[in-house]
Amino acid sequence: MATKQRSKVEKGFVSVLLILIGFILSIPFIWMLLSAFKPNPELIQIPVRIFPETWTFENFTRLFTEMNFGTYLRNTLILVGCALVGLIFNAMAGYSFAKFDFKGNRPLFFLVLATMMIPGQVTMIPVYLILNQIGLTNTMPGIVLPGLVAAFSIFLFKQFMTTIPDALLEAARLDGAGEFFIFFKLVLPMAKSILAVQGILAFIGAWNSFLWPLIVANSQELYTLSVGLALLQGQAGENYALQMAGSAVMVVPILIIFAIFQKYIVDGFTMSGIK
């Protein structure tokens, strides 16, 4: 009984400690979110007020009516959508490496892994020159195409799909199932957890995409939210409330997506630990 009671006390202490740490870490986010609903004079006044005295949506309205954030949001959503489509291609590649014994399987897979050792900044100039030669600079396809495939994603899918029993796939083939049916109806449902983890990573990477769109695009009509937020710092000057609203537009969707898929992410980590 004493051991059980001590264990409960320890769990309670750890829970309180984690809640306290989580609250402290979330203070900058809470401050940013509340400041986005303040008029700028109220934000910079002394003494500082945590909660807005006058709640206003003017900052968010100005973002989309005066600062071209509607266009930036559209471009970012296109980039995110294409990144999620690319996730299917990565899963197909990982499945092929894991379950098909074709000539050159291992050397090709090691070549894919070798690309992970090359920093992305090193490949930007060659990729830009290739896109320039085929006329894709300053276009949305030029921004999207280099991010469709990721070596790290292929590696994770391959490692996960190696654990799928071959007997299950062979039984489906004996029943007359085609390879696309097996992949989409059997393999992908079994890989929900790893898909969720990779989906979160792909979403965050595309949502926060900054350097590549800035290099490829010459027109503001092709800029993403990250680039638009950087421009906002110069355009808004000392209007910190407007900048806080722009930051909130960037951060809040990531938190929502993480909250929705949190269960699958935890399951993915758990399964990885079991393996």
Side-chain angles (χ1 to χ4, degrees):
M1 289 294 294
T3 304
K4 288 183 179 180
Q5 194 154 10
R6 186 169 63 244
S7 177
K8 288 183 179 179
V9 172
E10 290 175 353
K11 288 181 180 178
F13 174 77
V14 171
S15 299
V16 171
L17 183 62
L18 290 176
I19 292 173
L20 181 61
I21 293 174
F23 175 74
I24 293 174
L25 294 177
S26 65
I27 287 176
F29 169 74
I30 295 173
W31 169 255
M32 174 196 70
L33 193 59
L34 292 175
S35 298
F37 293 97
K38 295 179 182 179
N40 194 58
E42 183 181 336
L43 177 60
I44 60 178
Q45 74 179 8
I46 302 296
V48 176
R49 293 178 180 271
I50 298 178
F51 292 95
E53 185 176 356
T54 304
W55 291 81
T56 178
F57 288 93
E58 180 185 358
N59 298 317
F60 293 97
T61 303
R62 288 191 60 193
L63 284 178
F64 291 94
T65 57
E66 300 178 18
M67 300 299 174
N68 212 24
F69 260 62
T71 300
Y72 302 152
L73 178 60
R74 180 200 65 198
N75 296 336
T76 303
L77 291 176
I78 292 174
L79 198 58
V80 168
C82 292
L84 295 179
V85 171
L87 203 62
I88 302 299
F89 296 146
N90 293 329
M92 288 181 175
Y95 175 65
S96 299
F97 281 124
K99 294 301 179 183
F100 291 95
D101 188 18
F102 56 90
K103 187 176 181 180
N105 183 319
R106 291 180 64 82
L108 187 57
F109 180 65
F110 287 136
L111 182 62
V112 171
L113 292 183
T115 62
M116 295 172 59
M117 295 184 286
I118 304 175
Q121 293 82 354
V122 174
T123 61
M124 281 185 177
I125 294 177
V127 172
Y128 179 85
L129 293 176
I130 293 172
L131 292 176
N132 190 45
Q133 287 293 324
I134 59 179
L136 289 181
T137 53
N138 199 36
T139 64
M140 184 56 68
I143 297 175
V144 168
L145 287 177
L148 284 181
V149 178
F152 179 69
S153 181
I154 293 174
F155 168 74
L156 284 185
F157 277 117
K158 191 262 183 184
Q159 294 302 105
F160 180 87
M161 291 176 181
T162 302
T163 63
I164 296 177
D166 292 332
L168 177 64
L169 305 181
E170 289 299 328
R173 293 188 182 103
L174 290 174
D175 287 339
E179 294 299 334
F180 280 99
F181 180 89
I182 292 173
F183 178 76
F184 285 104
K185 295 296 184 179
L186 290 180
V187 176
L188 284 187
M190 295 176 66
K192 282 193 302 183
S193 57
I194 195 70
L195 272 172
V197 173
Q198 287 300 298
I200 290 289
L201 296 177
F203 176 86
I204 293 175
W207 187 265
N208 293 332
S209 183
F210 172 77
L211 188 56
W212 183 246
L214 185 62
I215 292 174
V216 175
N218 300 324
S219 169
Q220 289 194 20
E221 295 301 314
L222 294 173
Y223 284 166
T224 58
L225 280 174
S226 295
V227 181
L229 187 61
L231 292 176
L232 183 64
Q233 296 179 0
Q235 294 171 343
E238 295 185 357
N239 193 333
Y240 301 111
L242 192 60
Q243 296 181 39
M244 291 293 182
S247 300
V249 171
M250 280 292 302
V251 174
V252 170
I254 294 178
L255 294 178
I256 294 174
I257 293 295
F258 181 82
I260 293 173
F261 291 99
Q262 178 179 328
K263 175 182 179 297
Y264 296 107
I265 295 174
V266 173
D267 289 345
F269 290 153
T270 303
M271 294 178 68
S272 299
I274 292 175
K275 293 171 191 173

